[in-house]
Amino acid sequence: MPGGRMFEKQIQMVDLHRQYLRLKNDIDTAMQSVMDDCSFINGPQVKTFSRHLAEYLDVPSVIPCGNGTDALQIALMALGLKPGDEVIIPAFTYVAAAEVVALLGLTPVLVDVDSRTFNINPSLIEAAVSPKTKAIIVVHLFGQSCDMESIMSLADVHHLFVIEDNAQSVGATYTFPDGRTQKTGTIGHIGTTSFFPSKPLACYGDGGALITSDVQLAERIHQIANHGQVRKYHHKQIGCNSRLDTLQAAILDVKLRYLSEFTQARQLVASRYDEALSSCQDVLLPLKSSFSTHVYHQYTIQVEEKKRDLLQAYLKERGVPSMVYYPLPLQLQEAYRGIIRIGGSLQESDKLSRSVLSLPIHTEMTESEQRHITDSFAEAILAIARLS
Ligand SMILES: Cc1ncc(COP(=O)(O)O)c(C=O)c1O
């Protein structure tokens, strides 16, 4: 393919530096106040941020922790799951859910996802439930909610706990069939999130949190995240050391103030992609569910398997990065062979891992930058069509 025109600046999948420059005054002031106090662990900013996030989500409390993977592990520990119990998870997702389930001696049971929303397909969950099944981890992938009404009803019938992994969808709102709305992460028994730097609500290092409206569960989670400690040097249960450090909490408290604005910025980028790419042949654009807002952590399209590599290479030549989230579904990951139980056909997860492609999306993207991306994309699609 011919070498192409580059954009004047390097285009990033997520431009953290430009976003930092926009927030620099607020972030630097917040960080300086932590440095002045030297209260690096459990400083007052940790409590303040947790309270502000709880207010934003409209829940009684948020329990901060070290990262989103820890949050999932602590959730499973707090629910008292025992080795041999089964936990249903989607087959097409980031590895964290499978990892913590396996680490605790539980069995991950894989269920297929919906081919258009990328989220777990609720109509396939029931067939995967066995007498050993105790919980479902649903992952609100790429920025929008799973079908929580169906999932919660099914969990109720089978007495299952529901953990919502909300790492990619903080800020999304779910609408129940009766019109009630709730933020994602607040609907199941426990919600978890990650504040990894590229996430919708992100810090400048590692961070995570758990959300529950159950007071007793919240207390257990607090203890587990702090060595299972009820008071200093008194350990009621086996826990872990998983803390959100004060610097990250101070940064997050600033970023939380911008969350709605940032969400709108990503939604605008997504709508421009929708418009510009809708006429591209053989490209499936992301589908927004009727019951959820979409915060577009990723803008993920689907293309024919044999064209994806060519498309990526063409875009790269024009300075447009793209990423495959995720190139292997969990059933094909070497580490989990012999550990997982397959809960039905996983054909959509399998197909998606060969067809998905995520395009750059972030809060600082300019119209001209995006025009370069969409023009390059359209040219690539035409050039690839001519080759075949
Ligand atoms: C859906 C999902 N869950 C969990 C995690 C794990 O979060 P962390 O990297 O903070 O451990 C991630 C991070 O990429 C994620 O995307």
Side-chain angles (χ1 to χ4, degrees), residues 85-90 107-112 120-136 154 158 160 341-346:
D85 288 346
E86 292 181 348
V87 181
I88 289 175
I89 61 174
T107 303
V109 179
L110 303 189
V111 167
D112 213 358
I120 194 164
N121 186 334
S123 70
L124 304 177
I125 295 177
E126 191 149 40
V129 174
S130 86
K132 290 184 183 169
T133 311
K134 295 292 182 316
I136 311 173
L154 205 127
H158 294 279
L160 307 176
R341 179 163 78 73
I342 304 286
S345 160
L346 302 176

Side-chain angles (χ1 to χ4, degrees), residues 67-69 72 93-94 96 139 165 167-168 194 196 199 206-207 326:
N67 58 67
T69 310
L72 285 166
T93 187
Y94 184 62
V139 182
D165 181 345
Q168 302 191 6
S194 160
F196 185 83
K199 294 288 190 266
D206 277 314
Y326 298 94

Side-chain angles (χ1 to χ4, degrees), residues 90-302:
F92 182 74
T93 187
Y94 184 62
V95 73
E99 189 171 65
V100 295
V101 169
L103 275 174
L104 293 174
L106 311 166
T107 303
V109 179
L110 303 189
V111 167
D112 213 358
V113 297
D114 180 278
S115 66
R116 294 305 314 282
T117 64
F118 313 111
N119 279 330
I120 194 164
N121 186 334
S123 70
L124 304 177
I125 295 177
E126 191 149 40
V129 174
S130 86
K132 290 184 183 169
T133 311
K134 295 292 182 316
I136 311 173
I137 299 178
V138 299
V139 182
H140 302 307
L141 206 70
F142 298 157
Q144 67 178 334
S145 181
C146 297
D147 176 355
M148 291 309 290
E149 169 79 7
S150 305
I151 290 162
M152 294 311 288
S153 313
L154 205 127
D156 205 26
V157 171
H158 294 279
H159 309 291
L160 307 176
F161 294 115
V162 175
I163 298 171
E164 293 175 78
D165 181 345
N166 199 32
Q168 302 191 6
S169 297
V170 175
T173 301
Y174 176 80
T175 304
F176 286 92
D178 64 5
R180 270 179 313 123
T181 59
Q182 244 173 282
K183 290 283 184 203
T184 50
T186 70
I187 302 163
H189 299 91
I190 303 179
T192 66
T193 195
S194 160
F195 302 129
F196 185 83
S198 61
K199 294 288 190 266
L201 179 60
C203 56
Y204 292 156
D206 277 314
L210 297 101
I211 298 128
T212 182
S213 297
D214 179 323
V215 178
Q216 283 174 350
L217 206 46
E219 197 181 319
R220 228 172 16 250
I221 290 169
H222 254 301
Q223 286 174 10
I224 292 171
N226 185 23
H227 296 291
Q229 192 165 271
V230 268
R231 60 195 159 91
K232 214 165 173 62
Y233 307 127
H234 291 72
H235 307 274
K236 190 171 169 183
Q237 56 196 324
I238 296 174
C240 53
N241 174 22
S242 187
R243 293 184 285 239
L244 178 68
D245 77 56
T246 314
L247 271 170
Q248 301 306 341
I251 291 161
L252 283 162
D253 206 37
V254 172
K255 294 251 216 144
L256 181 59
R257 298 205 288 271
Y258 291 86
L259 182 58
S260 300
E261 183 187 327
F262 286 166
T263 302
Q264 281 170 22
R266 281 196 307 275
Q267 287 168 337
L268 179 63
V269 174
S271 69
R272 285 198 211 120
Y273 274 140
D274 283 347
E275 202 181 320
L277 305 185
S278 61
S279 54
C280 288
Q281 258 190 352
D282 302 325
V283 177
L284 220 46
L285 302 186
L287 185 73
K288 201 179 95 42
S289 304
S290 56
F291 47 69
S292 177
T293 60
H294 203 317
V295 302
Y296 292 100
H297 172 55
Q298 300 296 344
Y299 187 90
T300 303
I301 58 157
Q302 295 175 57

